[in-house]
Amino acid sequence: MSASHNPTRDTASARLVANRVLVTLLCAGLLAAWLLPFATMSPNRLASGQTVGLSEALSAWQAIALLALSAVLAVAALRRPLPRELAHGVVLLASLGLLLITLYSLGDYAQRTLVEKSPSARVSQGSAFWVMAFCCALAAIDAFQRASSGWLLRLGYMLIAGGSVAMLFASGHFDDLSIMREYANIRDNFSDQFITHLVLVGSALGPALLIGVPLGLLAHRHVRLQGTLFSVLNFFQTIPSIALFALLVAPLSALGNAFPLLGEWGIKGIGAAPAIIALVMYALLPVVRNTYAGLKGVPPATVEAARGMGMTARQVLWRVEIPLALPVMLSGLRIVTVQAIGLTVVAALIGAGGLGAFIFQGLGQYAIDLVLLGAIPTIVLAVIADFTLQMLVVLSKPAGTRR
Amino acid sequence: MSVSALSRPSFSRRALLILLSVLLIALVVGMEQLAPLFRALFPDQDPAMYERESFLNLTLAHLALVLVSSLISVSVGVAAGLFVTRPAGREFEPLVSTLAAIGQTFPPAAVLAIVVPVAGFGFIPTLVALVLYGLLPVVQNTVAGLGTVPSQTLEAARGNGMSAWQILWRIELPLAMRVIIAGVRVSVIINIGTATIGSTVGAKTLGTPIIAGLVGNNLPYVIQGAILVGLLAIVTDLAFERLERRFSFGESGAMA
């Protein structure tokens, strides 16, 4: 079939439109902007409010900017006027601009309205806001992949995008938004729980690496161990997080009761101890598996050559095997870090604290802003950790094989 | 690997699967019979047995949630994976793959929490969160599995005069099935765990006694719920492992 040689079918629309993904995203974003509420106005923190459409929420220049940038995106999606590479750059900038306009307009609307209303009134983001932001982000990601840009450019763009959003937050532009008012109420507690979250993740990763890497080495050296080791670790990974946390509560509280000294050190049923132990148990499988896979990927001829040069077993391990296995081992660390950030949310249920505390507290009071204050930072944290470690994986590869 | 080296672990794993399934069923049906044991272990706790709902009902509710969400995830996920690997949808493949990869870095508990403002409390938001999250591994593995089919094989099938449909049904899907099932396995296991957390947003699952126990400081409740849900996940995982092995065409089987 000729279709396999020419992926885009030669129809009238294919001759006109070069980027159907962008067209789809643009249509979805505009449809949401037209049909769904952009913001919600409520009289106080817990009451449900009335919805506000985009046309009502935007000032004149914001509406014009929004339409202009959408038009730029529409032109960039066409086959004709712009050359391909230029079109990708234009899409990248326009989608970032659109995202910033969307964010800015929401904050601006909150500022304008709340001047006239009672101080307890709340303005929060509506579903159209989320869909528009989501479509902008997707358009940017897609443009990146089409431009086949290197990791340095990707890092630069991430910093610019993240930096401009952070500046909008820092300038106090969003302070009148409901979620930021909620944040102002819990500011001190928020930074405490945020740090607790990071400490929990960190104190689980340390032991996981200290135990997991040697286990991976052992699995590589002794083939007979593998089956048992991997099935036991897979068991841990399979047990649902909350069940593993909960199952550790009982033995640890028994230990703490039996030996009061241990209890004083923090080894008791509720709190950080069961959380960290469970996180380590979850982290072991990816660490061990990737250490093993990384070592297994080292070409035997290379090891042979190193031995031939007179290196001792220890030198071969540290100077040849581990450096070559490092990228795969670091991808294991990446999986584990992202996973631990997510699982720590659940640890809040056994009293370990962390950002999950806000989520479950918010769910209990039906305070949606509080839920989002727990959930969004966790997601951002996970995405940032994933991106950073991905960069490290790239950098740890021998020069010349980086992509 | 020789045949004997392979058959022995798989035999013991089948025995393990049967053993744990029997244990799971026995505990689901007969947990109440263990009341004296829990009373002896936790003399200060009263009641020492979760009685607000039978464990059979909780397990069935949990399974229903996971089953419905997995059915939706698998059908939508495989369809999406098929779409982006056909000529008509290939343009969407990079974006969908990236989305599936980034989406899986989102913590399941956070996804559950974010669905609540949109869908409210109870069965529905949990279902929505499970479907959304469960989609990602299925899409990812469908794309990956179809990508492993050698191009010579496809070329040969075309040369034999097979239509695009025939190639899909008789060549591509059977060859990709093992990887697709691996994706379904990940999706279902994550969903069993997330459904447990679903009890914090009001869904009736095996997490209900765990949360009740944690809130009311009642350890027996916690243990009863946690053992059942842990066993359920392990039994499901072992069953999927066997299913996956059935679709590995003459390969030397999984690593462990």
Side-chain angles (χ1 to χ4, degrees):
Chain A
M1 270 198 312
S2 64
S4 64
H5 303 297
N6 179 15
T8 30
R9 286 174 302 175
D10 197 20
T11 57
S13 73
R15 274 198 298 275
L16 191 65
V17 176
N19 188 340
R20 288 186 297 146
V21 177
L22 185 57
V23 173
T24 313
L25 289 175
L26 199 57
C27 289
L30 290 177
L31 209 63
W34 182 38
L35 293 177
L36 299 174
F38 182 70
T40 319
M41 258 293 283
S42 47
N44 60 55
R45 177 169 172 258
L46 298 176
S48 59
Q50 75 216 50
T51 56
V52 181
L54 191 69
S55 53
E56 205 179 327
L58 256 57
S59 71
W61 75 265
Q62 289 158 1
I64 292 170
L66 198 83
L67 287 175
L69 283 171
S70 307
V72 169
L73 282 179
V75 171
L78 296 181
R79 193 168 288 277
R80 268 316 155 125
L82 297 176
R84 284 301 76 212
E85 279 304 307
L86 180 64
H88 299 322
V90 167
V91 172
L92 217 48
L93 288 179
S95 54
L96 176 61
L98 213 48
L99 180 66
L100 288 179
I101 285 282
T102 311
L103 282 170
Y104 185 88
S105 310
L106 184 69
D108 194 46
Y109 172 70
Q111 280 178 0
R112 273 183 286 130
T113 347
L114 293 188
V115 173
E116 311 154 9
K117 304 274 173 173
S118 75
S120 64
R122 296 271 190 145
V123 171
S124 41
Q125 56 290 336
S127 41
F129 167 80
W130 291 117
V131 177
M132 285 162 73
F134 187 62
C135 288
C136 291
L138 288 189
I141 290 172
D142 190 55
F144 250 116
Q145 284 172 332
R146 283 165 191 262
S148 60
S149 45
W151 62 272
L152 202 63
L153 193 66
R154 203 171 296 185
L155 182 67
Y157 186 80
M158 279 285 273
L159 287 179
I160 293 176
S164 10
V165 174
M167 259 167 61
L168 269 181
F169 271 99
S171 70
H173 183 74
F174 296 118
D175 284 358
D176 289 313
L177 224 52
S178 178
I179 185 166
M180 293 308 285
R181 289 203 174 174
E182 190 76 35
Y183 170 72
N185 288 344
I186 59 163
R187 192 186 298 260
D188 294 336
N189 196 8
F190 183 86
S191 41
D192 285 351
Q193 299 290 23
F194 188 78
I195 290 169
T196 308
H197 202 101
L198 292 181
V199 168
L200 282 174
V201 171
S203 35
L205 288 183
L209 289 178
L210 281 180
I211 303 170
V213 172
L215 276 180
L217 276 173
L218 211 63
H220 180 60
R221 299 270 188 269
H222 303 277
V223 184
R224 294 163 102 214
L225 270 177
Q226 283 166 26
T228 325
L229 184 63
F230 283 116
S231 5
V232 170
L233 295 181
N234 187 46
F235 263 31
F236 295 155
Q237 193 85 13
T238 307
I239 298 175
S241 50
I242 184 169
L244 190 56
F245 284 129
L247 284 177
L248 284 172
V249 169
L252 282 176
S253 67
L255 256 183
N257 290 339
F259 306 99
L261 190 64
L262 284 179
E264 277 170 36
W265 289 346
I267 307 217
K268 47 186 196 258
I270 296 280
I276 292 173
I277 295 175
L279 288 175
V280 171
M281 285 163 85
Y282 277 117
L284 278 179
L285 180 68
V287 172
V288 175
R289 194 178 46 199
N290 280 47
T291 308
Y292 168 77
L295 291 172
K296 204 173 171 225
V298 177
T302 314
V303 177
E304 212 46 57
R307 281 208 199 106
M309 284 168 66
M311 284 187 169
T312 63
R314 186 179 289 257
Q315 283 174 322
V316 172
L317 177 66
W318 284 105
R319 301 212 193 144
V320 178
E321 290 188 292
I322 288 192
L324 284 176
L326 198 59
V328 182
M329 291 167 74
L330 281 177
S331 357
L333 181 64
R334 175 183 162 205
I335 299 172
V336 167
T337 312
V338 170
Q339 181 186 281
I341 290 173
L343 289 173
T344 305
V345 171
V346 182
L349 284 175
I350 52 165
L355 290 169
F358 297 123
I359 296 185
F360 296 116
Q361 200 183 327
L363 288 174
Q365 308 172 351
Y366 201 69
I368 297 308
D369 289 322
L370 202 53
V371 174
L372 292 182
L373 274 178
I376 294 175
T378 327
I379 292 177
V380 173
L381 206 58
V383 172
I384 290 178
D386 186 58
F387 186 77
T388 316
L389 283 162
Q390 211 174 350
M391 289 286 141
L392 272 184
V393 171
V394 172
L395 287 177
S396 70
K397 285 181 183 164
T401 60
R402 287 175 198 163
R403 235 174 43 81
Chain B
M1 237 184 264
S2 69
V3 178
S4 64
L6 252 180
S7 60
R8 218 172 339 126
S10 89
F11 170 73
S12 69
R13 291 183 84 74
R14 193 177 71 184
L16 190 64
L17 173 62
I18 295 172
L19 189 77
L20 291 179
S21 313
V22 171
L23 184 63
L24 174 65
I25 295 170
L27 279 178
V28 166
V29 181
M31 183 69 92
E32 280 81 0
Q33 311 301 319
L34 294 179
L37 175 70
F38 279 104
R39 245 176 256 130
L41 280 174
F42 301 95
D44 310 334
Q45 292 286 1
D46 189 50
M49 178 60 62
Y50 188 77
E51 278 161 348
R52 283 173 232 172
E53 186 90 49
S54 80
F55 284 101
L56 183 62
N57 275 348
L58 290 173
T59 312
L60 290 180
H62 198 111
L63 282 177
L65 194 54
V66 174
L67 207 65
V68 173
S69 68
S70 298
L71 279 178
I72 303 175
S73 302
V74 170
S75 29
V76 177
V78 171
L82 284 177
F83 171 68
V84 300
T85 48
R86 301 305 101 188
R90 191 148 292 161
E91 206 186 340
F92 289 82
E93 196 269 324
L95 185 65
V96 168
S97 296
T98 313
L99 203 59
I102 297 181
Q104 285 180 76
T105 64
F106 288 25
V111 174
L112 185 67
I114 281 196
V115 173
V116 170
V118 185
F121 277 87
F123 181 81
I124 296 295
T126 314
L127 187 70
V128 172
L130 293 191
V131 167
L132 282 181
Y133 208 86
L135 263 176
L136 307 174
V138 177
V139 174
Q140 201 169 38
N141 280 41
T142 306
V143 173
L146 290 170
T148 59
V149 180
S151 54
Q152 298 101 303
T153 313
L154 294 178
E155 224 32 73
R158 266 186 222 120
N160 277 328
M162 290 176 105
S163 69
W165 270 110
Q166 286 176 319
I167 294 176
L168 179 64
W169 279 109
R170 302 214 196 138
I171 313 276
E172 291 189 274
L173 279 179
L175 284 179
M177 197 47 94
R178 195 182 64 82
V179 182
I180 296 178
I181 289 177
V184 176
R185 175 181 176 184
V186 172
S187 160
V188 170
I189 296 300
I190 292 179
N191 277 355
I192 290 179
T194 315
T196 318
I197 309 172
S199 55
T200 58
V201 301
K204 186 173 79 177
T205 69
L206 282 172
T208 313
I210 302 182
I211 302 294
L214 287 175
V215 171
N217 203 10
N218 186 322
L219 264 184
Y221 285 7
V222 172
I223 295 172
Q224 288 148 17
I227 282 187
L228 284 183
V229 82
L231 264 179
L232 182 65
I234 288 176
V235 165
T236 313
D237 192 57
L238 285 173
F240 265 106
E241 188 186 82
R242 290 190 61 74
L243 191 66
E244 253 179 69
R245 200 163 287 179
R246 189 166 292 182
F247 282 95
S248 56
F249 295 97
E251 290 167 37
S252 58
M255 187 177 60

